[in-house]
Amino acid sequence: MKIKKIVSGMACMVTLAACNLDYHEYANYGKDYIDESYENVIGMITNVYSILDYDFGQTYKGGMLASACDEAEYAYTNNDICDFVNGSWSPANPMSNIWTSSYKAIQICNQYLAEFQGLTFDELKLNDDYRAQMFRYTNSFKEARFLRAYFYFNLVRAYGDVPYFTEMVTTDQVNSLTRTPAQEIFNAIIAECDKLSTELPADYTKLGLDGIAPAENGRVTCYAALALKARAALYAASPLFNPENNKDLWRRAAEANKEVIETCTANGFKLSKYSELWGPNNWSNNEMIFVRRYNGNISTLEEYNFPMGVPGGNSGNCPTQNMVDAYEMKATGKMWNETGSGYDASNPYVGRDPRFDMTIVKNGDTKWPSKNTNPIETFYGGLNAEPLSGATPTGYYLKKYLDSAIDLSANSTTKTSRHSWITYRLGEFYLNYAEAIFQYTGSADNAGEFGMTACEAVNIIRNRTDVKMPEFPTGLSADAFWNKYQNERMVELAFEGHRFYDLRRWKDGDKLKSIIEMKLTKNEDGTITYKRNVVNRVWNDKMYLFPIPQSERMKNPNLSQNAGW
């Protein structure tokens, strides 16, 4: 296991503008050196924020997890992300840094909690902002506990049972640890977050301490603690981790997610326009509970995903026809292939759920990106289509999360912008609650003791001001609701990193055995012919959980491997 005691000192300091926090890089200095400086001490936890995950293609050379499930297909088959679906995934090719990065963060937190409490920093006492600095210091231990719980969730979500420890451990101790059952870890995360929800601040800007605002607006709050607790409760209740379908776990999940909804809405959070969930200022959107703010202005997401044929565009994560099919018809609320839906095969994109146009670039779209003067052409031989190398294989390009104002042409002065990854937003928890209450009561119309039914929770999401999709009707059968719910979740949370894990926790891996591309041909009369093309992928039930990296098992013989790997 790649965990070492964090021997620390401030080697250098740079600004982590993405979180409005000071980020310190530590190496090869002892604890006594750290104790000498307030900045060195507080910088240890600020450093952990820089390890928080986001899915802008940084891990897989442009590939997002969407391209490892049925949301997207990566345009280049030799990209690292393709190893999830082409049979190359293995303990020797574990495909993820989750194990290493999470345990690195956890060990920093453990050391910080064990060795750096009780300091007074007497040299700062005459400073005007001493109270603010000491608040920041004492609060950092609560942040460390949250961050530790956060990284344990990432580990158990990916690997199931993992070694769990909350004390500093030596390398020898690390290499003898055994795996703790997943439910025990979920329980520990939930209990910790329950405490933190009463200990962490709600708003760092309203503490009445000079020197706090705005430097703390990237730090975790009591709402983030409630959100992690609720998501952990949902996963703990899901079939992958709850094969006996223990209804008490679903009840706990319903309660935790309802708490997020009620607490957040009572304190000014609200659903925004769907189109405002991303963009340079999405971190300040009233729907956001916690975002991972990227360091500085970037354009890598646009470079990876702008259409081939657009200046600077290299294609990348191309939405599948599976993803497109998930968008219902606006007028009827029915799927494209349902009787009476209103779908027109000759104009397949007309009249769809408004979230479709906000998420996906299709043939004929104009002003994408905004400086592009040519309509997008994804029919064979078109400006942005095959046979161009790297052109979309699916007939679509990604729009969500990308900044249309970025211009990658040679003479542009607008080449970068702020990007913030959505970690927790209010909309997710309406969906989480709907799932939990449905599974707990067995009905989409039974609120049990919670006061809001599954249908009512989903309909709140569908009633966004720029969406306004028809409500789910009452009286749906259990199967009908579940199918519509899964579809709604796919649409609402598209490309936010959920689908990859949702299909696993639901044990719906069969949906990952193939994807559908749409091949467009332009006819002589100008009309378009649409042809579906099925692409098979490799799926095996062992892939519900990640393989423990072989390198870790070679160092620790007590680490058993996940089944099938």
Side-chain angles (χ1 to χ4, degrees):
M1 190 182 298
K2 297 179 181 176
I3 309 173
K4 297 181 180 178
K5 179 177 177 181
I6 308 301
V7 290
S8 313
M10 187 172 67
C12 63
M13 179 171 63
V14 298
T15 299
L16 183 61
C19 284
N20 285 352
L21 307 171
D22 288 333
Y23 166 64
H24 303 258
E25 189 76 30
Y26 293 93
N28 300 324
Y29 291 91
K31 177 179 179 296
D32 291 343
Y33 181 86
I34 291 293
D35 286 347
E36 291 179 5
S37 166
Y38 171 88
E39 287 187 344
N40 292 357
V41 172
I42 202 73
M44 285 187 69
I45 288 307
T46 307
N47 183 25
V48 179
Y49 278 93
S50 73
I51 307 174
L52 289 170
D53 53 300
Y54 57 101
D55 191 19
F56 287 151
Q58 76 288 348
T59 302
Y60 302 107
K61 300 177 183 177
M64 300 168 70
L65 284 181
S67 291
C69 65
D70 57 353
E71 289 178 307
E73 179 181 6
Y74 206 75
Y76 303 91
T77 58
N78 62 347
N79 184 267
D80 288 353
I81 199 70
C82 299
D83 285 357
F84 276 114
V85 297
N86 65 14
S88 298
W89 196 12
S90 71
N93 179 29
M95 286 299 298
S96 172
N97 65 353
I98 294 173
W99 186 279
T100 302
S101 62
S102 296
Y103 277 120
K104 173 185 176 183
I106 287 165
Q107 187 69 325
I108 294 173
C109 292
N110 283 343
Q111 183 187 12
Y112 192 71
L113 289 162
E115 293 189 344
F116 293 95
Q117 300 197 57
L119 304 177
T120 58
F121 304 104
D122 291 345
E123 73 278 8
L124 301 179
K125 286 185 175 179
L126 296 180
N127 293 356
D128 292 340
D129 64 351
Y130 180 69
R131 285 182 63 238
Q133 297 285 55
M134 289 308 292
F135 166 81
R136 190 177 287 119
Y137 166 70
T138 56
N139 191 69
S140 67
F141 297 100
K142 302 167 189 175
E143 296 172 74
R145 288 161 50 202
F146 172 91
L147 291 165
R148 181 174 61 189
Y150 177 92
F151 284 104
Y152 268 124
F153 173 80
N154 282 1
L155 282 165
V156 74
R157 175 178 64 175
Y159 300 100
D161 304 350
V162 295
Y164 180 80
F165 53 95
T166 57
E167 305 291 337
M168 286 182 59
V169 292
T170 66
T171 300
D172 287 343
Q173 289 171 325
V174 164
N175 290 335
S176 64
L177 292 171
T178 57
R179 299 173 68 179
T180 301
Q183 283 295 346
E184 290 184 24
I185 301 174
F186 281 129
N187 290 342
I189 293 168
I190 291 166
E192 181 74 289
C193 289
D194 198 43
K195 295 174 185 175
L196 289 169
S197 69
T198 65
E199 297 174 10
L200 283 165
D203 188 338
Y204 288 85
T205 69
K206 297 180 180 179
L207 296 171
L209 295 171
D210 291 341
I212 289 293
E216 310 305 316
N217 65 5
R219 296 190 185 274
V220 295
T221 64
C222 61
Y223 307 115
L226 288 176
L228 175 54
K229 170 187 169 183
R231 190 184 286 180
L234 183 75
Y235 271 72
S238 298
L240 181 60
F241 301 105
N242 179 24
E244 300 84 11
N245 196 27
N246 182 340
K247 294 293 185 180
D248 288 339
L249 295 183
W250 285 115
R251 186 188 186 284
R252 181 176 69 174
E255 184 176 42
N257 282 279
K258 185 79 179 300
E259 185 180 13
V260 174
I261 295 167
E262 291 178 341
T263 304
C264 286
T265 54
N267 288 279
F269 292 82
K270 61 182 180 180
L271 298 183
S272 72
K273 290 183 176 180
Y274 193 75
S275 59
E276 294 176 355
L277 292 175
W278 55 95
N281 298 313
N282 73 330
W283 61 271
S284 61
N285 185 303
N286 283 339
E287 184 168 335
M288 299 303 160
I289 296 173
F290 184 69
V291 299
R292 202 292 194 188
R293 297 175 65 187
Y294 189 84
N295 185 12
N297 292 348
I298 60 170
S299 62
T300 50
L301 193 62
E302 288 71 25
E303 292 169 23
Y304 283 136
N305 293 288
F306 273 172
M308 186 61 63
V310 168
N314 291 294
S315 186
N317 301 280
C318 300
T320 60
Q321 186 62 39
N322 310 64
M323 187 72 241
V324 172
D325 286 345
Y327 294 93
E328 299 169 342
M329 302 306 294
K330 166 75 171 171
T332 62
K334 293 185 176 184
M335 300 291 286
W336 67 279
N337 56 354
E338 285 187 80
T339 302
S341 68
Y343 174 77
D344 180 356
S346 63
N347 292 289
Y349 311 126
V350 174
R352 305 298 280 265
D353 183 326
R355 289 171 290 187
F356 169 60
D357 278 327
M358 300 178 205
T359 305
I360 294 172
V361 181
K362 64 185 183 302
N363 183 63
D365 281 354
T366 58
K367 297 295 184 180
W368 185 261
S370 59
K371 295 295 184 181
N372 182 25
T373 59
N374 298 309
I376 295 295
E377 296 180 349
T378 61
F379 54 82
Y380 189 85
L383 292 174
N384 316 102
E386 298 172 322
L388 287 176
S389 176
T392 173
T394 66
Y396 308 100
Y397 287 102
L398 178 63
K399 181 180 291 187
K400 187 172 178 178
Y401 264 129
L402 276 63
D403 188 344
S404 178
I406 287 179
D407 181 3
L408 298 175
S409 59
N411 298 322
S412 169
T413 58
T414 313
K415 288 184 177 291
T416 63
S417 71
R418 174 79 66 202
H419 293 70
S420 299
W421 177 255
I422 301 169
T423 304
Y424 306 119
R425 63 176 174 93
L426 183 59
E428 173 196 341
F429 297 93
Y430 282 100
L431 291 170
N432 291 357
Y433 170 79
E435 179 176 340
I437 193 65
F438 168 72
Q439 295 291 355
Y440 172 55
T441 65
S443 168
D445 301 320
N446 184 352
E449 62 268 42
F450 292 97
M452 179 167 59
T453 69
C455 263
E456 288 169 342
V458 173
N459 288 337
I460 290 171
I461 290 289
R462 291 168 69 86
N463 197 39
R464 288 181 186 275
T465 56
D466 59 346
V467 175
K468 296 292 184 182
M469 285 295 291
E471 293 187 350
F472 280 19
T474 58
L476 289 170
S477 69
D479 286 346
F481 172 80
W482 183 241
N483 289 334
K484 287 181 72 67
Y485 168 80
Q486 287 186 304
N487 194 76
E488 179 67 18
R489 190 174 177 93
M490 186 178 187
V491 166
E492 173 69 18
L493 301 178
F495 296 93
E496 294 183 33
H498 291 273
R499 180 75 173 174
F500 177 91
Y501 289 106
D502 281 344
L503 290 174
R504 285 169 164 77
R505 68 181 179 85
W506 292 331
K507 300 201 75 174
D508 268 351
D510 284 352
K511 293 181 179 178
L512 297 174
K513 288 183 175 179
S514 65
I515 58 166
I516 303 172
E517 303 169 335
M518 182 61 78
K519 300 299 185 182
L520 287 71
T521 304
K522 189 172 184 179
N523 303 313
E524 291 184 3
D525 62 0
T527 60
I528 302 291
T529 297
Y530 303 89
K531 182 180 180 181
R532 292 168 176 262
N533 181 52
V534 176
V535 177
N536 291 323
R537 286 178 164 181
V538 174
W539 170 261
N540 185 290
D541 285 356
K542 68 182 181 181
M543 296 176 181
Y544 282 123
L545 293 173
F546 286 38
I548 306 294
Q550 185 63 31
S551 58
E552 304 302 329
R553 297 190 66 233
M554 291 176 67
K555 288 180 286 187
N556 181 2
N558 291 330
L559 283 178
S560 57
Q561 184 57 273
N562 278 325
W565 291 107

